[in-house]
């Protein structure tokens, strides 16, 4: 398939705020995008997968001052932590954007200029409550009282009263167009519970949005008025079009990838992506993204994760303790994507041992060991397929369509469960067909049974390349599947294992995890 003929898929993470070290939440969001990007590439798409860091704003300026270094030096250091995380987690992003880059400053200022020319921004004065931690403005009615009578944002962040000159975006004007847009595009916000929240918020009334600040200087200067810098969220959201070459709308990447197929975000920043961002784009007469998915948060052994509790989960610690593929698998398997989830070490060990080691790892090891021992270490020749063979092989071949549909709605847990239905069926088929007994009574039938099992493992491994790429690659190596035949173009009979193909000596892919205290 020539590149020009390929369908396009553009998936983005939020750009991560650089005043903190990467944690499980960052790893989770980007992992979901990585799985989608890998799947779409295998499925014949031309993919652009973007992540990066959000480096402007009052919070960053304060953090840099606290360390006694310049904001640029601070952001250079902390942004690198997120690049390092991408490498450590095996992410396949095509670009990494920083909002301190020149390409991004140009894009932000061009968007601002367009909004000015279209009379979507005007100069006024802001009086109201602002949360530095959230980089967000809040109305009086949204605030709650803290334990000492202080005002807090709905997120629990402290707020401060701000009075300063400010440019405003005419957000109120876009209330009805946004509601019409949500109605015409029912899949724009997911899951449904989040969609309902956003619609309720917009129906409650939108006020014009303050989009500049004058009380600090770390940000993109407002064109023609250097006393103001752009509100950090107007700056941050623009990253998605910066990476496509905006403001050059004739750029190849802009033509190919914008509008984005999917913005993946945490539920805490949904309002910015599902209300402000489409409003900015509509006001600039630019296409809106196709979908915004807001996932849930993790707790740790039942407790809210916070630095003050000292229970922040480091993705590096998980990878070092359990393995990269095991960590990737658990994060997308444990919780229905979109819901909040609880991390526990016991749950992680259970998933690793019962599903990866016992169900899939043991299946592949048993089958390949029997082939190695009884079929001269080569793919056996299949005979006529029976009803029992097809009862396993047909669902295995149907998996691609099932998984594709699940991932298109970001239902990673459903995708993995559908794969495990086939894995469990394959284990039951081994026990029922008993190829070790057939070796003595019907050697040809034994060959057919083992071939059916190998084909089932091949289909599972092709799909699992998206979630556990290293381990799935090892399984495909052991099936002697050539590196250039691991895309979905070779799904089903098109890539079926050929009788007589020599196989390497099998080795275990998913070892059981044993706690060190138990003598591992």
């Amino acid at each position: 398939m020539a590149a020009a003929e390929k369908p396009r898929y553009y998936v983005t993470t939020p750009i991560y705020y650089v005043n903190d070290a990467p944690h499980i939440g960052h790893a989770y969001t980007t992992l979901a995008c990585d799985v989608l990007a890998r799947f779409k590439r295998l499925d014949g798409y031309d993919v652009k997968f973007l992540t990066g860091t959000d480096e402007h704003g009052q919070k960053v300026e304060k953090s840099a001052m606290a360390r006694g270094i310049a904001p640029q030096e601070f952001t250079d250091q902390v942004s690198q932590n997120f690049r390092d995380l991408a490498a450590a987690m095996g992410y396949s992003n095509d670009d990494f954007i920083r909002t301190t880059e020149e390409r991004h400053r140009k894009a932000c200022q061009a968007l601002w200029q367009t909004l000015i020319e279209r009379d979507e921004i005007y100069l006024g004065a802001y009086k109201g409550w602002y949360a530095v931690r959230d980089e967000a403005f809040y109305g009086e009615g949204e605030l709650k009282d803290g334990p000492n009578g202080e005002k807090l944002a709905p997120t629990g962040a402290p707020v401060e009263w701000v009075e300063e000159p400010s440019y405003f975006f005419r957000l109120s004007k876009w209330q009805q167009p946004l509601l019409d847009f949500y109605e015409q595009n029912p899949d724009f916000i997911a899951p449904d519970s989040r969609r309902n929240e956003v619609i309720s918020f917009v129906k409650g009334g939108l006020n014009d949005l303050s989009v500049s600040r004058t009380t600090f200087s770390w940000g993109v200067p407002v064109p023609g008025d250097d006393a103001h810098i752009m509100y950090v969220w107007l700056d941050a959201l623009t990253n998605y079009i910066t990476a496509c070459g905006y403001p050059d709308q004739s750029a190849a990447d802009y033509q190919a990838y914008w509008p984005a197929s999917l913005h993946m975000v945490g539920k805490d920043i949904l309002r910015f992506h599902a209300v402000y961002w489409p409003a900015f784009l509509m006001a600039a007469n630019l296409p809106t993204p196709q979908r915004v998915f807001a996932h849930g948060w993790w707790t740790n052994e039942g407790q809210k994760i916070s630095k003050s509790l000292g229970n922040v989960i480091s993705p590096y610690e998980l990878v070092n303790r359990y393995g990269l593929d095991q960590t990737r698998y658990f994060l997308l398997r444990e919780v229905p994507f979109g819901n909040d989830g609880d991390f526990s070490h016991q749950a992680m060990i259970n998933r690793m041992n019962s599903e990866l080691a016992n169900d899939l790892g043991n299946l592949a090891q048993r089958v390949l060991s029997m082939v190695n021992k009884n079929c001269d270490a080569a793919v056996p020749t299949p005979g006529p397929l029976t009803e029992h063979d097809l009862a396993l092989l047909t669902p295995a071949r149907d998996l691609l369509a099932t998984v594709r549909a699940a991932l298109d709605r970001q239902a990673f847990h459903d995708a993995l469960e559908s794969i495990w239905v086939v894995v469990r069926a394959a284990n039951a088929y081994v026990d029922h067909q008993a190829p070790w007994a057939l070796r003595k009574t019907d050697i040809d039938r034994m060959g057919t049974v083992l071939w059916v099992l190998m084909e089932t493992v091949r289909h599972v491994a092709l799909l699992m390349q998206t979630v556990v790429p290293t381990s799935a690659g090892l399984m495909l190596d052991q099936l002697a599947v050539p590196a250039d035949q691991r895309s979905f173009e070779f799904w089903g009979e098109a890539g079926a294992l050929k009788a007589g193909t020599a196989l390497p000596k099998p080795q275990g892919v998913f070892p059981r995890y044993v706690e060190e205290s138990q003598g591992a």
Side-chain angles (χ1 to χ4, degrees):
M1 193 185 291
E5 298 168 4
K6 287 186 175 184
R8 307 292 171 78
Y9 190 80
Y10 179 28
V11 59
T12 71
T13 74
I15 48 172
Y16 300 118
Y17 213 66
V18 294
N19 71 323
D20 211 346
H23 55 66
I24 192 174
H26 304 121
Y28 186 53
T29 315
T30 314
L31 172 61
C33 294
D34 182 59
V35 170
L36 291 171
R38 288 174 180 274
F39 182 90
K40 291 294 183 182
R41 290 189 197 108
L42 291 170
D43 211 15
Y45 282 71
D46 175 5
V47 172
K48 184 177 179 68
F49 167 22
L50 176 71
T51 189
T53 44
D54 178 10
E55 304 183 16
H56 288 137
Q58 191 172 2
K59 204 162 42 169
V60 170
E61 189 174 77
K62 284 187 172 183
S63 296
M65 286 173 63
R67 287 213 201 162
I69 59 177
Q72 186 65 58
E73 185 183 350
F74 174 79
T75 57
D76 287 348
Q77 291 174 7
V78 187
S79 178
Q80 188 60 43
N81 294 340
F82 286 89
R83 283 188 189 269
D84 293 344
L85 177 69
M89 291 295 294
Y91 300 144
S92 61
N93 51 295
D94 303 289
D95 194 358
F96 186 101
I97 190 163
R98 299 181 58 188
T99 57
T100 49
E101 293 176 46
E102 179 63 16
R103 62 172 171 164
H104 185 65
R105 186 187 65 79
K106 286 179 179 174
C108 291
Q109 292 187 328
L111 180 62
W112 182 283
Q113 201 61 49
T114 298
L115 293 172
I116 286 282
E117 289 166 5
R118 296 175 68 87
D119 193 30
E120 298 290 350
I121 289 178
Y122 62 91
L123 184 60
Y126 179 75
K127 291 184 181 180
W129 296 102
Y130 186 75
V132 174
R133 193 175 87 192
D134 299 343
E135 300 282 14
F137 303 97
Y138 292 104
E140 190 79 39
E142 294 183 276
L143 303 182
K144 58 185 182 180
D145 291 327
N148 301 313
E150 72 275 25
K151 298 283 188 185
L152 297 177
T155 59
V159 294
E160 55 189 45
W161 183 260
V162 174
E163 294 188 23
E164 60 181 310
S166 177
Y167 285 92
F168 286 83
F169 171 70
R170 299 185 192 278
L171 184 62
S172 57
K173 164 183 168 181
W174 293 94
Q175 179 175 340
Q176 193 55 49
L178 281 168
L179 291 171
D180 294 342
F181 174 72
Y182 303 147
E183 186 175 350
Q184 292 157 15
N185 298 275
D187 293 330
F188 174 66
I189 304 167
D192 284 344
S193 58
R194 305 289 170 219
R195 181 174 186 272
N196 296 337
E197 283 174 21
V198 169
I199 291 172
S200 176
F201 171 74
V202 175
K203 281 183 174 176
L206 296 178
N207 298 318
D208 288 353
L209 180 67
S210 173
V211 288
S212 75
R213 302 294 308 275
T214 59
T215 50
F216 62 100
S217 59
W218 184 242
V220 177
V222 165
D225 192 345
D226 285 351
H228 291 253
I229 61 156
M230 290 185 201
Y231 174 42
V232 69
W233 272 103
L234 176 56
D235 162 4
L237 291 161
T238 304
N239 92 89
Y240 302 125
I241 52 177
T242 298
C244 290
Y246 182 84
D248 180 5
Q249 294 182 50
S250 65
D253 273 13
Y254 188 91
Q255 290 286 317
Y257 300 115
W258 192 256
S261 310
L262 176 69
H263 291 325
M264 185 74 79
V265 300
K267 63 180 182 179
D268 53 323
I269 55 172
L270 178 59
R271 181 187 300 183
F272 302 100
H273 285 81
V275 181
Y276 300 167
W277 182 225
F280 294 153
L281 291 167
M282 290 174 182
N285 196 31
L286 295 172
T288 52
Q290 294 169 4
R291 186 169 170 88
V292 177
F293 191 103
H295 64 71
W297 291 340
W298 285 90
T299 51
N300 186 354
E301 308 279 356
Q303 281 192 309
K304 184 177 179 182
I305 294 175
S306 73
K307 282 194 287 188
S308 59
L309 289 173
N311 67 346
V312 174
I313 301 171
S314 162
Y316 293 104
E317 288 177 15
L318 295 183
V319 170
N320 289 338
R321 181 171 177 180
Y322 299 117
L324 174 55
D325 281 351
Q326 288 83 349
T327 299
R328 287 173 58 108
Y329 176 78
F330 175 82
L331 290 177
L332 291 181
R333 177 69 163 130
E334 181 68 4
V335 179
F337 198 74
N339 294 2
D340 290 341
D342 184 51
F343 177 87
S344 85
H345 288 282
Q346 194 55 53
M348 178 110 183
I349 293 166
N350 290 347
R351 291 281 185 193
M352 289 166 60
N353 286 345
S354 68
E355 295 180 353
L356 292 180
N358 288 4
D359 292 347
L360 180 54
N362 191 43
L363 170 69
Q365 180 79 351
R366 286 170 79 190
V367 170
L368 289 167
S369 294
M370 282 188 274
V371 171
N372 183 266
K373 183 178 178 182
N374 302 308
C375 305
D376 297 323
V379 176
T381 302
L385 299 180
T386 68
E387 181 184 336
H388 293 296
D389 302 335
L390 293 172
L392 175 61
L393 200 52
T394 301
R397 288 174 172 169
D398 289 345
L399 270 179
L400 177 57
T402 306
V403 170
R404 182 188 289 130
L407 293 186
D408 279 344
R409 46 176 217 280
Q410 292 75 58
F412 299 94
H413 55 294
D414 287 347
L416 287 168
E417 176 57 24
S418 66
I419 294 170
W420 248 255
V421 166
V422 169
V423 171
R424 289 190 289 262
N427 278 303
Y429 171 90
V430 176
D431 293 338
H432 186 259
Q433 295 297 320
W436 53 88
L438 289 170
R439 183 171 66 87
K440 300 170 186 171
T441 61
D442 191 341
I443 197 85
D444 290 342
R445 177 64 191 150
M446 178 201 73
T448 302
V449 167
L450 292 175
W451 182 87
V452 168
L453 285 162
M454 291 175 72
E455 265 296 276
T456 301
V457 171
R458 180 179 74 89
H459 285 91
V460 167
L462 287 175
L463 288 170
M464 291 300 290
Q465 291 177 100
T466 61
V467 181
V468 291
T470 302
S471 304
L474 287 172
M475 294 178 92
L476 292 167
D477 288 346
Q478 293 186 56
L479 291 167
V481 176
D484 60 356
Q485 292 183 22
R486 297 183 181 187
S487 74
F488 301 150
E489 185 182 347
F490 296 92
W491 190 262
E493 292 183 26
L497 297 169
K498 292 181 173 55
T501 303
L503 300 171
K505 187 176 179 180
Q507 56 184 352
V509 174
F510 294 110
R512 282 184 63 79
Y513 181 85
V514 182
E515 289 277 22
E516 287 187 12
S517 60
Q518 297 174 5

